[in-house]
Amino acid sequence: MDTDLSSQDRKDLDKFIKFFALKTVQVIVQARLGEKICTRSSSSPTGSDWFNLAIKDIPEVTHEAKKALAGQLPAVGRSMCVEISLKTSEGDSMELEIWCLEMNEKCDKEIKVSYTVYNRLSLLLKSLLAITRVTPAYRLSRKQGREYVILYRIYFGEVQLNGLGEGFQTVRVGTVGTPVGTITLSCAYRINLAFMSTRQFERTPPIMGIVIDHFVDRPYPSSSPMHPCNYRTAGEDAGVAYPSVEDSQEVCTTSFSTSPPSQCVFTVSKAHFQTPTPVVTDTLRVPMAGLAFSHQLMVPGKEGGVPLAPSQPAYGTQADHEKMATCTPSDGAHYIVTPSSSEDTETVSNSSEGRGSPHDVLEAILVRKVGALVNNSLDQVTMTNLDIPFAMFAPKNFELEDNDPMVNPPDSPDTESPLQGSLHSDGSSGGSSGNTHDDFVMVDFPAFSKDDILPMDLGTFYREFQNPPQLSSLSIDIGAQSMAEDLDSLPEKLAVHEKNVKEFDAFVETLQ
Amino acid sequence: MVESSGSSPKGSGWSRPKRASQPPARLVGAASGWGMNCRAEVLEVSVEGRQVEEALLAVLHTVLLHRSTGKFHYKKEGTYSIGTVGTQDIDCDFIDFTYVRVSSEELDRALRKVVGEFKDALRNSGGDGLGQMSLEFYQKKKSRWPFSDECIPWEVWTVKVHVVALATEQERQICREKVGEKLCEKVINIVEVMNRHEYLPKMPTQSEVDNVFDTGLRDVQPYLYKISFQITDALGTSVTTTMRRLIKDTLAL
């Protein structure tokens, strides 16, 4: 197919395509820097402005583009792609757009290379300038800063659209026919964010659930590293960096297993706790974590409000400091932005480390601090009276209060959240007895520390008991009984229940 | 993305791409006395009063971005070189939208002037708040004396504007965002048309350049264009036409 094209034309065409690809990358990345672009018109041609457009060349971007192209040109099956993604201050990232420069086989032999193709490529670049301001990612990129940054990645080869989530949209910027094929420039962009106004995004911290497929693993590990769309990184705040995703998750998991008592970090919102489903039955011997346990203990004599003090213990703040001051992340990128403040005690449903990680939900509902019934008056309440299903896990010794870790907990963390202070006037300054809040003592006692009753850490526990066996009382052997039989057995059942009416009434009394 | 008969990229497995916007209405202007090759595109926007100017500027500048080149410098051998066009991002104050325009203060001033006149006319008409503005690209065809030069349009962009009045601040906020989204669609429409690569005037020789381009600006060179507008009533008829007809009818009695 090249025989029709003169060698000079072919050379020119290759050059045009190469510089068009480089300029395309510049336009896209510059449009995601987060600032307005302004270049001057010049009536006298400088000779160095490709396609008669004043598009600055950011050297790093050109370098990356050339590296990705590696001397090749876009051809059939080999597309140049610029991936734009967002990375939050917690280290989560999400693909926003993929810009694709492709070539297909449809040739236009008649077209004049040095004139028409060149002018049409110029027009296509202008269209690209316009379209880059119009996709949802533009407004996001203009607001990048404290909570998130926009990154770019250039790759060459097959287009990978899997990271854009369901229902992504595409917009075609334009096409230019050439004697060797048709150049197509288009953009596929995620639309999940389109339903969120960008104001909403910046006001609320990114919590799990905003984007449904947020936590889908990237199917293709990045062959090339992500780069921030921020030209001013050099020399400015280069020391401030986000931990990579792996680092922050590591922080999350270590907070489960090896944390000493003062470093356990669950925070629980009142709302969460007031509506738990009591999953306690007599046949379930397996302890369901501190949730049920403490729930039971709290029921007697306590109405409503659970003064579990959410805490922002030292570990939490430590982690924040870690995030701010640590090393550069594994991909070597530097970010200017400082992480958002996680001392936000208003959003108590977020634990400071767990934000954005798959462990969030778990952390939010797990009770970190157990309000134990530890009191002189507890003598009246014996284990049998309480009828706690997990009695074996309840603290056994109530006489030796001095030695009981639940009464005299280990040293509590120094930092306390104001919320904690207001909810519980004692603070966590150790167990207290003989004070006004008799029923509860805030204890720095983790549910799953090493020397506890359970010989395992929370994570292992959760995994192991994730799928408990079906309860015998809940499983109905459908084949055994038919509807008619059910109805027949009803009178008998009613008679039995009537006989036990007094028992039931007594039981109801205990619940109130 | 790949709608042509060329092979689609290997292993991509794309679903059918969703059109992000409605294509603009196309009219063939044969009946109205336009030239054979004139294409007409119509865009409609519904905006609040204070958004009229910015919405119109966004559309007009986006069109002119594609229809402007650098200044031509003709050389002796009949070839020419082209100057460089710079671009600028403009944030709208009353709309959540940013558009790109060519960096030319003169061009911007000219557009702002006519858009301002349109806005005043809309306000003063006391009508339903309906009007339209047309950006027409034309070529001049020199005629012999005493006939004046003919202007032959080859592309006309019409923007129909509908002004709405909003009561609450919340509605205004929603309008900001909605109009921003609408303008995004319009930009995509405009780009779609531009990239059809349909008729464009041939690049002129030095003697002919003023018949094709507006060479009066200092830093850029748009195709020859003119902008006109009308205030319309609900039926789309020009208000001035209606008035004229009324007066004629009255006088005829």
Side-chain angles (χ1 to χ4, degrees), chain A residues 36-39 41-43 45 49 52 54 102 104 115 123 126-127 133 142 158 161 170 173 175 186 199, chain B residues 1 4 9-10 14 17 65-66 68 73 82 84-89 91 97 103 177 184 191 195 197 203:
Chain A
K36 291 199 287 188
I37 304 296
C38 179
T39 55
S41 303
S42 161
S43 64
D49 290 322
N52 310 120
E102 303 163 289
N104 72 26
Y115 169 67
L123 194 70
K126 290 173 182 171
S127 298
R133 275 65 175 170
R142 286 294 297 271
E158 272 188 38
L161 295 177
T170 55
V173 182
T175 60
S186 52
R199 291 176 306 125
Chain B
M1 287 195 269
S4 66
K10 283 180 261 185
W14 294 335
L65 168 70
H66 291 82
S68 303
H73 297 272
I82 310 179
T84 303
V85 172
T87 56
Q88 232 177 325
D89 285 334
D91 289 337
F97 187 68
S103 292
E177 292 169 16
C184 290
V191 163
N195 274 279
H197 300 303
M203 283 299 144

Side-chain angles (χ1 to χ4, degrees), chain A residues 163-453:
Chain A
L164 291 175
E166 294 274 321
F168 61 84
Q169 287 205 340
T170 55
V171 60
R172 184 153 79 168
V173 182
T175 60
V176 173
T178 76
V180 300
T182 301
I183 296 170
T184 311
L185 186 53
S186 52
C187 173
Y189 58 93
R190 174 187 282 276
I191 58 166
N192 306 30
L193 293 174
F195 296 117
M196 279 168 28
S197 74
T198 49
R199 291 176 306 125
Q200 195 180 338
F201 192 91
E202 69 181 6
R203 224 187 280 134
T204 59
I207 56 176
M208 200 182 88
I210 284 182
V211 175
I212 297 159
D213 56 18
H214 191 98
F215 301 115
V216 170
D217 284 339
R218 290 171 73 95
Y220 303 94
S222 315
S223 52
S224 50
M226 302 293 298
H227 300 269
C229 287
N230 199 314
Y231 188 30
R232 299 166 306 177
T233 50
E236 247 192 44
D237 297 341
V240 180
Y242 293 124
S244 64
V245 180
E246 298 76 29
D247 285 345
S248 64
Q249 279 186 351
E250 211 175 327
V251 164
C252 286
T253 50
T254 53
S255 76
F256 280 104
S257 54
T258 60
S259 52
S262 64
Q263 289 185 8
C264 217
V265 188
F266 309 101
T267 56
V268 177
S269 73
K270 273 178 137 180
H272 274 226
F273 206 85
Q274 275 165 357
T275 59
T277 50
V279 190
V280 177
T281 72
D282 50 3
T283 58
L284 192 63
R285 285 280 157 212
V286 171
M288 286 280 292
L291 178 66
F293 171 52
S294 57
H295 184 213
Q296 281 299 313
L297 287 179
M298 280 175 211
V299 162
K302 206 66 191 172
E303 304 185 339
V306 175
L308 282 191
S311 73
Q312 299 285 354
Y315 186 58
T317 50
Q318 248 178 41
D320 292 335
H321 289 307
E322 273 172 19
K323 277 185 193 175
M324 284 176 68
T326 31
C327 50
T328 56
S330 56
D331 58 5
H334 293 272
Y335 310 127
I336 279 195
V337 191
T338 57
S340 63
S341 108
S342 29
E343 278 82 21
D344 189 4
T345 54
E346 303 308 310
T347 56
V348 289
S349 58
N350 295 332
S351 68
S352 51
E353 290 84 0
R355 224 190 317 218
S357 87
H359 300 290
D360 251 359
V361 176
L362 174 61
E363 288 186 17
I365 61 171
L366 282 174
V367 175
R368 177 244 177 256
K369 291 200 171 177
V370 175
L373 288 174
V374 179
N375 215 315
N376 290 331
S377 60
L378 192 61
D379 293 342
Q380 306 160 21
V381 183
T382 64
M383 287 301 115
T384 49
N385 284 359
L386 286 178
D387 195 23
I388 306 167
F390 308 141
M392 56 189 261
F393 299 107
K396 295 193 172 55
N397 289 327
F398 287 99
E399 297 83 33
L400 302 170
E401 286 182 356
D402 291 337
N403 295 335
D404 195 320
M406 294 189 90
V407 178
N408 297 320
D411 290 336
S412 57
D414 292 331
T415 57
E416 296 170 11
S417 72
L419 194 56
Q420 174 187 13
S422 60
L423 279 181
H424 192 79
S425 54
D426 298 332
S428 60
S429 51
S432 52
S433 42
N435 53 28
T436 48
H437 299 275
D438 279 27
D439 295 333
F440 286 91
V441 170
M442 285 306 124
V443 168
D444 290 325
F445 195 81
F448 290 88
S449 75
K450 277 271 155 60
D451 36 4
D452 202 357
I453 304 149

